[in-house]
Amino acid sequence: MGTGVTKETRLTLEVERTEQTPWTILHIQGELDLVSSPEIRRQVHDAVAVGRRDLVLDLSGVVFCDSSGVGVLIAARRLLHSCRGRLRLILPARGAAEGSHVNRVLAALGVRRLFEVYEDVAAATDGETRPLSA
């Protein structure tokens, strides 16, 4: 399909969508919470509605995630699984500003193992790199 960029901004969240065939990548920055999680849900549904079944959620710029954010990640996993798609998360292991907050939240809730996690977009989309262990 090629490469395209769409950018949307909300009060506590910024989402940039890029295409790296066959992957759709949502680069998410800010807070993933009760207020902002419906936007992520909408973006995931929009991608699936136009036939995009391989999705990377780059959460390296997420500085806060609550149970609503976790819920939207689990719902995205369920949706993509139901349409035989793939979901990969980017959760760097270093510093809260680099995404480890989400990693800690998922681990604390016992759901980290549900996701294929990579340290960056290149690793998630190259087809050769194995996911990081839970």
Side-chain angles (χ1 to χ4, degrees):
M1 291 207 127
T3 301
V5 175
T6 306
K7 196 171 191 175
E8 293 187 28
T9 303
R10 297 285 186 237
L11 291 176
T12 60
L13 184 78
E14 184 174 300
V15 181
E16 181 178 343
R17 177 179 164 167
T18 60
E19 306 289 334
Q20 197 171 330
T21 305
W23 297 96
T24 295
I25 304 142
L26 298 180
H27 304 273
I28 303 165
Q29 294 187 24
E31 300 176 359
L32 187 51
D33 58 15
L34 180 64
V35 173
S36 62
S37 58
E39 175 61 20
I40 301 304
R41 184 181 313 271
R42 184 187 67 78
Q43 295 251 0
V44 169
H45 281 264
D46 288 354
V48 171
V50 296
R52 305 298 295 184
R53 301 291 188 264
D54 297 321
L55 188 64
V56 174
L57 298 181
D58 180 358
L59 304 174
S60 59
V62 174
V63 295
F64 176 79
C65 181
D66 68 7
S67 60
S68 299
V70 173
V72 81
L73 297 176
I74 292 171
R77 178 186 179 273
R78 190 177 312 130
L79 173 64
L80 286 157
H81 181 75
S82 73
C83 64
R84 298 176 191 237
R86 296 179 289 176
L87 175 66
R88 295 182 175 174
L89 304 183
I90 307 303
L91 296 173
R94 301 172 314 276
E98 299 178 56
S100 66
H101 172 77
V102 179
N103 204 11
R104 287 192 310 269
V105 169
L106 294 176
L109 294 173
V111 297
R112 164 67 170 71
R113 62 182 166 67
L114 297 177
F115 299 98
E116 288 187 23
V117 174
Y118 295 81
E119 70 176 327
D120 57 34
V121 171
T125 59
D126 73 9
E128 297 176 16
T129 305
R130 296 180 52 88
L132 301 172
S133 60

